[in-house]
Structure formats: C-alpha cells, structure tokens
Amino acid sequence: MSRNWEMVIGLEVHVELSTKSKIFCSCTTQFGGEPNTHCCPVCTGMPGTLPIFNGQVLEYAVKAGLALNCEIERQTRFDRKNYFYPDLPKAYQISQLYRPIAHDGYVEIETSQGPKKIRIHEMHMEEDAGKLIHSEYGNETYPDYNRCGVPLLEIVSEPDFRSAEEVAAYLEKIRMMFTYLGISDCKMQEGSMRADVNLSIREAGTTEFGTRTEMKNINSISAIERAIAGEYERQCDLLESGGKVTQETRHWNDDKKMSTAMRSKENAQDYRYFPEPDIPEILVSEEYIDDCRSRMPEFAPDKKERFMSEYGLSEYDAGLLVASKPESDFFEALIKGGATAKASANWLIVHLASVMKKLSADINGTMDFEDAGLDAEQMSYLIKEVEGGKVNRQDGIDILTEMVKSEEVLDVKEYIASHGLEVSNDTGALAETVAKVIAANEQAVSEYKSGKEKAIGFLVGACMKELKGKCNPGMVKEMLEAELKK
Amino acid sequence: MELMKLTALELGEKIKAKEISVREALDAVSAAKEKTDAKVNAYTDFDKELSDKEADRIQKLIDAGDSKSPLAGVPIGIKDNISTKGMLTTCASKILTGYKPAFDATAVSKVRDAGMVVTGKLNMDEFAMGSTSETSVYGPVKNPWDTGKVPGGSSGGAAAAVAACEAVVTLGSDTGGSIRQPASYCGVTGFKPSYGAVSRYGLIAYASSLDQIGPIAKDVRDCAAVMDVISGGDVNDSTSNAAFASGAEGVNENGFLASLNGDVKGLKVGVPAECFGEGVDPKVEESVKGMIKELESAGAVAVPISLDFIRFAVPTYYIIATAEASSNLSRFDGVKYGYRAKEADSIDDLFINSRSEGFGGEVKKRIMLGTFVLSSGYYDAYYNKALKMKQMIMDGFAGAFGNCDVIVCPTAPMTAPKIGESLSDPMKMYLSDIFTVSLNLAGLPGLSVPCGFDAQNMPIGAQIIGPAGGDLKVLNAGHAFQLATDHHKKFPEVG
Amino acid sequence: MVITKETAQYVAQLSRLGISEDEIESVCGSLTQIIGYMDEINSSVDTASVDTKVGALTNVMRVDEIKPSADRAELLANSPEHTDETPIVPKTVE
Ligand SMILES: [Mg+2]
Ligand SMILES: [Zn+2]
C-alpha cells in the first residue's frame, strides 16, 4: 500500500443453508428450476398464509454459531423487516434483529502477518428473497419466487478487516467450516454464499472511522478482492483531491473494474422491524447446544495435522485432501477399504484430479469431488489391483474415468473381467513372447548387452504390445533381464 | 320462512331426520337472502351454483350415514376476510377485486368436513378495520332492527345476516371486538375464542397477534357446536393451540356442546367497577346488571372486581393492531392478486398507485398510523411501550381471575349508532371498543349474548369474559342465562 | 405530538401510499388527533418496571421435509398481469 490511507472493512455474509425444504414452507430449496415451480401459497405471500419454522434451520444455525465462537441466544425469535420490492412477495422479510440466534463471536484467520481474529457482531436466521428476471428489450421485469424462503444465515462482522487478503481468508475460512458442517455448499457462483462489503478509509494511525460505502452481492472471492482494491483507490482519489466520500450503496462492475453508485429513491432506509407475531419464540436449551457441540466435525486444519502424522502425508498433499471434506472423508474410506495411504492419496490427488480435469474440459464446465460420485469400496479395490500389479496403471486410470462417467456404481471386478484387463500370469505365454521379442529386436538386444540399460524399456514395450497390455510390466522386465543375462 | 328461525342445531336435526333435505335448507337461506338482503346488504357474494353442488354431495354423505356432525347439511355464511377456495374473498376492499383463493382457510375446510354448506361471503368493514361495517367497497351493512342504524363491525354482515334470518350461522373474525360488538348491536350471540383455539390459516390478517375466527349464531349452543367443528391445533398455524380445543379445561371428550350443562352454581362472576357508570348508557347498564341477577338466581355469586387497565386498553390496541396491519397489508401491491393501477411507469408507481386507489380512507389511515409507530425514532415510545402495556393488561386479567371465574360487563357502552354518525367522529368509534379490545390483547375468550333492548327497541349485549383456555366456562355461563331468558329468541321485522 | 406534513409524507412514502395536497391537511389532522390521544394516555402509564414475558407457546417447528409445490398456473391465476411463468412488473433496472 503505497498510500498513507488505511482501509477499514466490515462484511455481511449471506449463506444459503442446504436444508431440503424452505425455512417457512415445505417447498424444495433446490437451485434453479422453471420460474415459480418451487412455490406454494406460503412462500408467494398469498393472503392468510402463515410461516411454519423448519427446525433443521435452528440446528444448522446453532452449529454455525458455535463454529464462529459465538454465544448462542437462549431465547431467540424472528422479527419482520419491512420494505417493498417485487422480489419480496409479503413486502417483509422474516429475519432477526432484536434477538439473533448467535452473537459476539470471532473467526481466526491466517494472514501473511500471522493469525488474526475477526470479531463477529452477530449471526441471524432469515429467508431469502426471489430473483428478478429483466426483459432484454421491453420495460418489464418478471419475478421468480423459487428462491423465496430458502433459509439464510447472515453473518455480520465487526469492521476488523484491513486488507482484501484478510477478507479472502475470512470467506475461505467460513466456506471451509460451513462445508465441513454440511450446512451449506457455499457456492458463490450459484449465490449460495454472498458478501456485502462495507469499506471506508482513514489516515493510517488514526482511530476514527471514515464514511463508508457498501457494495452488495459480489459473486466470487477474486471479484471481491478486485472490488475492494477498486473502491479503496476511488476513495483515496476522492479524499486526496479534496472530495468527500458519500455514504451510499455502490454496484461493483467486475467487467469494467469500477463501481457505480446505485440510485436511491428512498430518503433513508427505515425497515420498521418488529417481532414476528406469527411465529412463537424459540427457547434454546443448554442440552440442545451441547448436543450440537458434540456433533461438530473435525475442521480442516486439525484434519490436515492428523493426516500428516497418522498417514505420513506431506503437508502439501494433506492440504489438498482436506480442502474438501467429502474428499478427505473418502480418502479415509479408501484406507479402510484396504488401500495404502500413500497410494490412496496419489490416486486422488494425481489420477482423479487429471481425470476430472479432462472430463470438465469435455463438458466445458467445472466438476467438484462430489460430482464424481465415487464409491469408496470399488475405488479401493481398483487401487489394490493396480498397485498389486494385477491391472495396468493406464488401464486403472481408464477404469477410474469410467467410474466417474458412470451414473451407477461401477463394479470394478466385473469390469476388469468383462474387458479382459486382468494382467496375465501365464508364465509360459510370457516366456514365449519374451523369446519372440528378443529374436525380433537384435539391435535393442545388442544395445542392452553393450551397457545401454535404457534399451530394456523398448523391449518391455514391445512385449506389452505383443500381449496387448495384459501383462505385468514389472514381471516382463524381470523375465527379459533374466533371459538377456543368460 | 319459519325454517330460518330455527337454530343451526335444530335445522341439523331436521336434516338428519330427513324432515327436510340439505337442498331445501340451502334454498331457504337463498330465498331469505333474496327477500331481505336488498335492505340489509349483509352478503358480498352468494354462490348458489357452488353451494348447490356442495349440498348434493353432503346429502349423499348423510344418506349413507357417513356424517356424524350435528351440523351436517346446515348452511353457513363466511365473513369475506376468510379464504374460501374458488370463491371471492375480498375483505370488502377494492384492492382484492376478483381475488379467489386457491385454498380454503382451515376453519372453512373444517366446516366443510363437518358437512356444512358454505353459502356465501359476508360484508364487513374494509379489512376488518372498523366498528360499524360502513367502510365496505360493497356499501354499508344495515342493522336489521333499524336499517337507519349500523350493525356494528367489523363482522357486521355476519351478525346482521343471522339477526335478519338470512343466514343460519356464520363465521366472523374478531381483532378488537369485531364478533362481539356487532353481535351485541344485532341481538345475536357471538363468540370470540381464546387466541389460538381456532386456526388463523386462511384468515386474511389484520393484526396477527389479535385476530381470531369465531361463530355468530342464534344462541350459545350453536356457538358451542361450531366450536366443536372449527377449534383445534393446526400444522399450518404456529400460533394455534391444541390445548384450547376439546380436552381444554372442563371440556369432555365429546366436545364443547356436549359439555354445556348450564350449571353455574357457585360460579364466581366478577363485576368490574370500571365498566359501569359514566360513559355507559343507563339502559345498557340496567340490562347487563339484570343478567348478573339472573345468573345469581341460578346459583352464581357476583363479586366486585377492578379492571383499572381498561383506561389504556384502547391506545394499546390501536398501536399494536395498526403496527401489525401496516406490515400485513403491505403485500397488496398490484402484483400477485387483486387490483392493479392502470398507470404505472415504475415499480414504485405501480405500488403507490395500486395501493392508493385500492385501499379506502380508514385503511390508509391505519396503515399510516402503524407505519408511524414502528418508524425509526418512534418505535420505543409507541410500539415498545404498547407491548409493555399489553403485558400489564395480561397481568391485570390474571390477577382478576384470581378472584372470579368469569367476568361480566357490557359488550359496548351504547347500542347501535346511526349510519354515518361514527365516521364523522373516529375517536367515538374507537372508544366504542373499550370493553372488547382488552380481551384480544390478553388472548382471552369472550361471548356476547343478547340481554335486553333499549327504549328504541335496539338490542343490548352483555359480554362474558373468561381466562385463556376457559372457553367452556364462558359458553356455559351464557348458556345458563339463555336457559332462563328469551332475549335471544326475538327477531326483528326487517323493513 | 403534532404530525407535520413532512412526517405524514414520509410515513406515506414508507407505506407506498400517495397523499394528494387536498388530503394532506385532513390526514395530518386525524393522525395528530389519534396520536395525541395515545400520548395522553400512554404518558400516564408507568411501564418502567414491566418486562414482557414469553408467550404461551414456544418452539413450534416442523421437520425438514419436502412436499410438492403448488401448480404454477393456479398460483398465477390471481395475478392481474402475468405471463405463463411469472407476474409482470415495470422494469426495476435501467
Ligand atoms: Mg439480511
Ligand atoms: Zn412454498
């Protein structure tokens, strides 16, 4: 930071919870769908309908609150936030203001200057709003209420961030914890994790806050980093040229790399919050909290340490595996299935990664571990077969590709048999081939005999080709060497 | 027309005994409505085609012996703010023009399940905001006892239809007295159950924490029979309370009706000093005191009590009710249902024009009042303070019920005023709710029973109040009174 | 307290209601009357020591289960202006 201005950032992060049904009705929370097909009279705000709270949301919220080191509110309740917008069919959002489910916590992040605590002001439960589809040509907007009522947690931090790097680390940490808790998939590109950035600047060394702006709903961590950099520059330029920052909501345009002020017709926001009369209060008992606490998972940093010490993985490999909870759990399932830790790690990090990269390129999209839909028992069998020399490595990788592509669980043993991929152990046939190859490749044989050990590779390859790959290359090499040394 | 003077239970008995068919009962209501409603204006919609089909369906069930309810086959009218599937439900407001819900309110599906025939929708103050039934987009309802006077409100149509014998029994809603006060003005029996006893699902909300659906009928037994049908916990209403239905205090396994015995021996009847004297019409006072005497001669014991919080019940009510209403009525914006303004270039124009053109004056005023008491800077002084005063009212009633079993007082301080009189003096209208609103704030059951007539032969109603969940106690005291008197058996000559 | 024109217009805007110049006087008048009445009574009630209590019901929740959503045509049937898929409103962005 060349300039003498310090940035001060507070974040409001919205996370969609991965419950099956919505927070106040039984419609599906599934992303997408034809407009207004995941809707009912309740979530479209039909007159006379009433909200019924989904208890799973409470459990997820308490777990999230514990992960954020918050105090859990023992007597929580909902409040109405009133405002008019066509994506909000009741014209109020059922949210929490006066007694949010969790408050006064912190998240510890790693920064280049070492660990830092970002304080959490509060975290509350609320319902998501719908989506507005805008006509390309005409003067029309089309409300789609499918997302209305999808449960959200909103996490409000204190203004503790001093750099974009810290913001990114914080978002990554929340994503890690929430995916480990299994309460959200935190996919920014699908909007299941969204961040509003409140940013102000002040002269380095001062303690008073400057006037802040708010940038809403930026949809990737890297875009947030760019938005922060852009807004920081803009505010610095403003103040240095004798101007003033106006408190306003700004829209970050990631293509143009600049923000623009949103027009605000309303004088001030006055949401007229009051307690939601349609939902009785919720008392959260000590037992309930203890039960949630006892079911908290081992988070990534601890798991990484354990993978290094228990399985002898490198820090790099362990780090790659724990980046995804499902993948790290799968890794341990492979070991349980009898594959070695080293081979299991190698197959996931190297082979599976390359298979998925190739398949993603084919479909021109992205795939994550869960999209692979792998069965641990089958994959662990495959690893054992390949490492035990019973199936060729390349054949093994092809089988893995088939496993990923297949909708159903692929029976690896059956697949190997039906495709004739079993490496031959018929030493008679092997010896015959070895003799044939030696006879047909005089030049390579003489090179080998004159000390060019590399020539053996060519001969192994020739044997493999002859046997159509159905043999163990190690065994072929051994037999060739024995034959040539005679 | 004699058929229309029967109570719902009497009619149900005749249907069960095959003395008359369901269709004949329905035709009687239809004929009475044809004859009388031009003068009373109680109905906003009467769907003969739909109800004919219903009647035939139910007749088959009855013939097959598949209908247990004593009300099977009995026609019932529904206040226009209670959702009826495929039938207009407009809250008597322009903003809900043409709205036909895709679902039945829980109370409506329960009356259908009991074999009752939903006939039509009943007129009311727009969005239940009023005490006179004059603000309806369909025009004012007239009091059958004197068509120059109001029927009370907001369930004015539901009460007037029963009084004029153009409905057998009806469902109304009560947010601050909207069942009891019109029942009192029209000389019929109206019951507001404990908050939570009847599901609010499908009742278009005015004030969610105060609204309650209840019956308006010719007598207490009919009210109890309807309560047996509509009360109970509901998975679609988190504020419904299963404990207040059958199985509630004193209610036997056969329900409210079967538990009515008219026995009030030893019942302690609280008589609140604040509800008599200044501000109360002397004839009203006399009649209500007459009822207390009657209960005493049946073995009850009158005890003087104090309800000093009555003086702040009205402002408390108006703050809470209008605050909730301002939020509840925000969804009417011209997008999803009802009236939409023609001219709108922007989304805000659409909202503002639809709402300005669609809502009437009283509704707009209450929305603005509610918005004001919730707005930044005023929340604590008004809304938060009102919540505390509400708590004081609840505590006050709890204290009073330490000394008595039920409380008796006038339902309203005066009999029905002339049409037009209250609208010109809103404060007077608001104060006519003085004895009824505190029950809604405390969630208590309240019954209005006819107890006499004033010099102009206008009906007077007495209110019986019970503790939360004490619905049966209240109904039973009213039943005891009706066993001994015949005020509830008088009918007006509509003309 | 007296409800000024400014307050009345602010509240009307929050409520998405339009008040014309002709109406504003009478609206201010009736709001002032009612609020004045509230002020008068409220100021005579001491609520300093009152704590609101938890209601009769608590923890009313349902299990996380999907039930079929409603028929879209039925949901849209009451909308005064709609396509086969959504209601229509004036464009909310430029
Ligand atoms: Mg929020
Ligand atoms: Zn829904």
Side-chain angles (χ1 to χ4, degrees):
Chain A
M1 225 179 285
S2 59
R3 292 172 150 172
N4 198 30
W5 298 102
E6 177 184 53
M7 66 168 87
V8 174
I9 298 170
L11 283 191
E12 285 161 33
V13 177
H14 286 89
V15 174
E16 276 185 359
L17 296 177
S18 53
T19 53
K20 295 193 208 88
S21 63
K22 292 184 178 182
I23 182 168
F24 299 123
C25 68
S26 301
C27 291
T28 178
T29 55
Q30 207 175 54
F31 177 72
E34 285 276 293
N36 296 308
T37 53
H38 299 168
C39 298
C40 71
V42 176
C43 56
T44 53
M46 289 293 168
T49 59
L50 298 166
I52 310 293
F53 180 48
N54 179 348
Q56 189 70 59
V57 174
L58 180 69
E59 184 190 323
Y60 285 0
V62 169
K63 285 179 171 171
L66 292 171
L68 300 171
N69 301 297
C70 283
E71 277 176 46
I72 303 299
E73 176 62 46
R74 303 293 300 274
Q75 189 184 323
T76 190
R77 68 168 189 226
F78 287 100
D79 300 298
R80 287 189 189 174
K81 178 182 184 178
N82 296 284
Y83 64 96
F84 287 85
Y85 209 61
D87 64 4
L88 191 67
K90 299 190 299 298
Y92 57 82
Q93 179 193 33
I94 304 179
S95 180
Q96 298 194 290
L97 176 72
Y98 297 106
R99 290 178 179 277
I101 180 68
H103 51 88
D104 297 298
Y106 66 88
V107 170
E108 194 170 274
I109 55 168
E110 298 299 327
T111 74
S112 47
Q113 271 94 52
K116 176 174 177 173
K117 274 184 186 174
I118 303 296
R119 291 168 302 152
I120 303 295
H121 179 67
E122 56 102 354
M123 183 200 78
H124 61 260
M125 308 178 278
E126 62 186 21
E127 57 181 337
D128 208 345
K131 202 175 78 183
L132 296 176
I133 307 160
H134 306 294
S135 152
E136 251 177 87
Y137 311 105
N139 181 34
E140 290 181 345
T141 287
Y142 311 104
D144 171 9
Y145 304 128
N146 281 352
R147 206 179 59 184
C148 281
V150 169
L152 291 177
L153 292 180
E154 178 174 342
I155 305 151
V156 182
S157 84
E158 298 288 354
D160 287 352
F161 301 95
R162 296 295 175 268
S163 69
E165 177 211 358
E166 291 176 6
V167 169
Y170 170 84
L171 292 171
E172 290 289 7
K173 180 84 183 260
I174 288 179
R175 167 150 58 194
M176 181 281 289
M177 291 193 295
F178 284 15
T179 53
Y180 264 68
L181 284 165
I183 64 175
S184 174
D185 57 22
C186 293
K187 287 183 182 164
M188 290 194 92
Q189 69 278 12
E190 285 185 9
S192 63
M193 183 172 181
R194 314 191 281 266
D196 302 343
V197 178
N198 292 294
L199 189 150
S200 64
I201 60 169
R202 63 185 176 197
E203 262 178 82
T206 60
T207 54
E208 221 158 288
F209 292 121
T211 306
R212 67 186 155 85
T213 60
E214 185 178 17
M215 293 183 289
K216 278 186 180 297
N217 289 342
I218 314 169
N219 63 4
S220 76
I221 291 182
S222 57
I224 287 171
E225 292 182 301
R226 287 189 291 275
I228 289 171
E231 179 59 13
Y232 171 75
E233 291 296 325
R234 190 189 70 88
Q235 291 191 14
C236 291
D237 289 347
L238 255 179
L239 294 190
E240 282 166 8
S241 61
K244 260 183 169 172
V245 176
T246 330
Q247 182 164 349
E248 63 193 356
T249 302
R250 300 185 64 85
H251 171 74
W252 173 252
N253 185 323
D254 202 43
D255 295 329
K256 296 184 183 160
K257 305 281 175 290
M258 60 177 286
S259 67
T260 44
M262 308 229 274
R263 281 195 306 151
S264 87
K265 275 191 201 161
E266 244 187 280
N267 3 17
Q269 281 170 332
D270 189 339
Y271 292 124
R272 292 154 287 136
Y273 280 96
F274 72 101
E276 167 57 87
D278 288 329
I279 305 173
E281 281 148 294
I282 297 152
L283 306 181
V284 185
S285 68
E286 198 66 53
E287 295 76 53
Y288 187 89
I289 299 170
D290 284 345
D291 182 52
C292 288
R293 191 181 281 120
S294 73
R295 289 185 289 123
M296 297 290 276
E298 175 189 36
F299 283 135
D302 292 341
K303 200 170 201 174
K304 184 175 153 189
E305 289 294 322
R306 185 167 63 77
F307 278 13
M308 289 161 66
S309 62
E310 196 173 325
Y311 302 121
L313 298 187
S314 70
E315 183 173 359
Y316 181 77
D317 285 357
L320 283 178
L321 286 175
V322 303
S324 152
K325 176 167 191 285
E327 190 164 356
S328 59
D329 289 344
F330 190 78
F331 166 71
E332 295 203 279
L334 291 178
I335 295 170
K336 210 173 250 165
T340 66
K342 191 165 178 279
S344 299
N346 194 49
W347 272 82
L348 291 175
I349 293 165
V350 180
H351 300 324
L352 179 64
S354 73
V355 165
M356 295 215 306
K357 194 173 170 193
K358 190 168 173 300
L359 290 176
S360 308
D362 289 351
I363 58 161
N364 222 339
T366 56
M367 271 181 97
D368 55 26
F369 175 76
E370 281 161 293
D371 298 323
L374 289 170
D375 179 84
E377 206 180 310
Q378 294 300 328
M379 178 151 171
S380 131
Y381 179 80
L382 175 66
I383 296 173
K384 284 183 289 182
E385 290 293 287
V386 174
E387 299 303 324
K390 292 187 184 136
V391 171
N392 267 325
R393 186 163 300 269
Q394 190 50 54
D395 284 339
I397 292 167
D398 292 346
I399 294 171
L400 180 62
T401 308
E402 285 310 308
M403 289 170 80
V404 175
K405 275 159 90 175
S406 166
E407 290 288 316
E408 289 110 56
V409 173
L410 193 97
D411 186 327
V412 173
K413 190 173 182 180
E414 202 263 346
Y415 188 91
I416 292 171
S418 64
H419 289 73
L421 299 174
E422 181 101 28
V423 166
S424 174
N425 290 320
D426 182 346
T427 46
L430 250 182
E432 216 171 274
T433 307
V434 165
K436 200 172 150 195
V437 165
I438 287 174
N441 293 282
E442 271 176 46
Q443 199 192 336
V445 169
S446 62
E447 277 177 17
Y448 178 79
K449 286 188 171 165
S450 67
K452 273 194 173 174
E453 295 211 352
K454 264 160 95 189
I456 195 83
F458 174 80
L459 293 169
V460 171
C463 291
M464 299 285 290
K465 201 174 170 190
E466 193 70 26
L467 289 161
K468 297 197 170 69
K470 280 179 234 166
C471 57
N472 181 340
M475 205 187 228
V476 173
K477 191 175 172 223
E478 258 172 47
M479 285 182 76
L480 274 167
E481 281 169 344
E483 200 59 33
L484 293 169
K485 276 176 189 152
K486 268 185 191 164
Chain B
M1 273 300 113
E2 281 306 304
L3 215 48
M4 291 307 293
K5 289 193 173 167
L6 299 177
T7 66
L9 284 166
E10 287 164 352
L11 191 62
E13 231 166 88
K14 287 195 185 301
I15 291 169
K16 184 157 278 174
K18 304 274 163 69
E19 283 176 45
I20 59 164
S21 68
V22 179
R23 243 342 228 283
E24 281 164 345
L26 179 59
D27 289 345
V29 176
S30 172
K33 189 240 165 197
E34 282 308 311
K35 179 168 175 276
T36 315
D37 209 43
K39 291 170 197 141
V40 181
N41 198 29
Y43 284 91
T44 60
D45 189 33
F46 196 93
D47 203 326
K48 189 68 171 39
E49 207 176 308
L50 218 68
S51 40
D52 274 348
K53 270 190 221 148
E54 248 331 73
D56 294 345
R57 185 182 70 84
I58 286 157
Q59 186 70 61
K60 281 190 199 118
L61 290 178
I62 293 169
D63 293 346
D66 286 346
S67 201
K68 306 268 176 307
S69 169
L71 295 176
V74 175
I76 186 166
I78 310 286
K79 190 178 178 180
D80 199 34
N81 61 348
I82 302 173
S83 301
T84 42
K85 186 174 180 172
M87 265 173 107
L88 285 172
T89 301
T90 71
C91 293
S93 178
K94 182 179 173 186
I95 206 153
L96 272 171
T97 304
Y99 174 62
K100 289 183 175 175
F103 57 93
D104 272 330
T106 299
V108 171
S109 53
K110 283 184 162 192
V111 303
R112 290 195 206 277
D113 288 348
M116 300 186 80
V117 181
V118 174
T119 57
K121 304 308 284 286
L122 294 158
N123 211 347
M124 54 185 283
D125 282 295
E126 184 182 4
F127 277 99
M129 293 179 178
S131 313
T132 62
S133 300
E134 291 169 287
T135 64
S136 163
V137 73
Y138 304 100
V141 185
K142 320 281 174 51
N143 192 313
W145 291 90
D146 176 350
T147 51
K149 291 191 168 164
V150 305
S154 63
S155 311
V162 173
C165 291
E166 46 172 326
V168 182
V169 61
T170 58
L171 289 187
S173 74
D174 190 315
T175 305
S178 283
I179 286 175
R180 293 157 286 156
Q181 185 255 29
S184 162
Y185 283 5
C186 291
V188 293
T189 305
F191 182 57
K192 176 233 170 272
S194 295
Y195 185 76
V198 178
S199 168
R200 291 185 295 115
Y201 186 77
L203 169 65
I204 300 183
Y206 163 15
S208 314
S209 70
L210 311 172
D211 294 343
Q212 192 60 194
I213 292 174
I216 298 178
K218 294 198 181 79
D219 67 7
V220 171
R221 293 187 76 242
D222 275 5
C223 286
V226 172
M227 279 300 287
D228 281 332
V229 172
I230 63 173
S231 64
D234 179 12
V235 292
N236 291 319
D237 176 3
S238 303
T239 63
S240 68
N241 194 337
F244 286 170
S246 295
E249 201 187 336
V251 182
N252 71 31
E253 71 277 11
N254 295 317
F256 288 102
L257 179 63
S259 306
L260 284 185
N261 58 16
D263 180 3
V264 290
K265 272 191 204 75
L267 186 80
K268 280 195 256 174
V269 176
V271 183
E274 291 80 1
C275 303
F276 297 91
E278 205 202 318
V280 178
D281 182 316
K283 188 66 195 155
V284 169
E285 174 159 348
E286 187 192 311
S287 295
V288 175
K289 288 203 162 148
M291 164 158 152
I292 295 165
K293 283 259 148 41
E294 203 66 59
L295 290 172
E296 283 182 301
S297 33
V301 185
V303 286
I305 60 161
S306 168
L307 301 178
D308 56 352
F309 52 80
I310 284 270
R311 69 187 181 86
F312 57 80
V314 170
T316 305
Y317 167 77
Y318 275 92
I319 293 168
I320 290 174
T322 59
E324 291 181 8
S326 72
S327 173
N328 285 329
L329 271 61
S330 292
R331 69 185 66 199
F332 304 103
D333 58 8
V335 178
K336 296 142 292 179
Y337 26 73
Y339 178 77
R340 178 185 181 106
K342 296 289 161 287
E343 307 289 321
D345 296 331
S346 69
I347 187 70
D348 259 354
D349 278 1
L350 177 67
F351 290 164
I352 291 171
N353 297 351
S354 299
R355 291 166 62 78
S356 300
E357 294 164 24
F359 288 130
E362 182 65 25
V363 173
K364 284 188 213 172
K365 194 165 74 186
R366 292 199 197 190
I367 289 174
M368 289 183 63
L369 189 57
T371 302
F372 172 77
V373 299
L374 289 174
S375 66
S376 148
Y378 299 107
Y379 180 86
D380 280 322
Y382 294 98
Y383 188 77
N384 221 7
K385 174 121 190 171
L387 286 184
K388 291 184 172 194
M389 295 195 290
K390 178 184 182 214
Q391 186 66 55
M392 289 170 77
I393 292 170
M394 297 178 92
D395 295 346
F397 268 121
F401 283 116
N403 302 318
C404 61
D405 299 309
V406 297
I407 297 168
V408 171
C409 69
T411 305
M414 307 284 174
T415 56
K418 288 201 179 72
I419 288 172
E421 209 173 82
S422 302
L423 287 185
S424 57
D425 186 359
M427 280 316 301
K428 196 170 163 189
M429 178 169 80
Y430 294 174
L431 286 170
S432 75
D433 297 333
I434 187 157
F435 300 142
T436 50
V437 292
S438 55
L439 278 72
N440 299 78
L441 290 164
L444 310 184
L447 177 75
S448 181
V449 288
C451 67
F453 292 85
D454 71 3
Q456 283 96 48
N457 199 37
M458 290 305 288
I460 295 168
Q463 179 175 233
I464 306 170
I465 309 167
D471 300 48
L472 178 65
K473 263 185 209 169
V474 169
L475 291 168
N476 204 38
H479 180 53
F481 178 64
Q482 292 188 338
L483 284 176
T485 59
D486 63 356
H487 303 290
H488 61 293
K489 290 182 178 157
K490 302 222 165 84
F491 297 98
E493 284 297 328
V494 184
Chain C
M1 79 174 278
V2 174
I3 303 300
T4 61
K5 272 189 186 180
E6 289 70 37
T7 306
Q9 288 292 9
Y10 172 74
V11 168
Q13 169 63 21
L14 278 180
S15 315
R16 294 299 184 276
L17 291 169
I19 318 178
S20 66
E21 273 306 309
D22 309 345
E23 295 170 299
I24 190 85
E25 294 277 326
S26 94
V27 167
C28 288
S30 58
L31 287 181
T32 300
Q33 184 192 20
I34 302 161
I35 289 164
Y37 167 70
M38 289 173 176
D39 286 339
E40 184 193 320
I41 307 275
N42 291 7
S43 63
S44 72
V45 184
D46 180 11
T47 54
S49 59
V50 180
D51 274 327
T52 50
K53 294 177 191 134
V54 175
L57 297 170
T58 55
N59 296 45
V60 181
M61 291 178 230
R62 64 181 175 84
V63 293
D64 184 23
E65 253 173 18
I66 300 172
K67 288 187 184 150
S69 287
D71 177 62
R72 179 166 66 186
E74 210 167 71
L75 280 179
L76 291 171
N78 279 297
S79 173
E81 267 183 57
H82 62 91
T83 68
D84 289 345
E85 298 185 332
T86 71
I88 302 172
V89 299
K91 207 167 198 173
T92 56
V93 289
E94 300 295 290

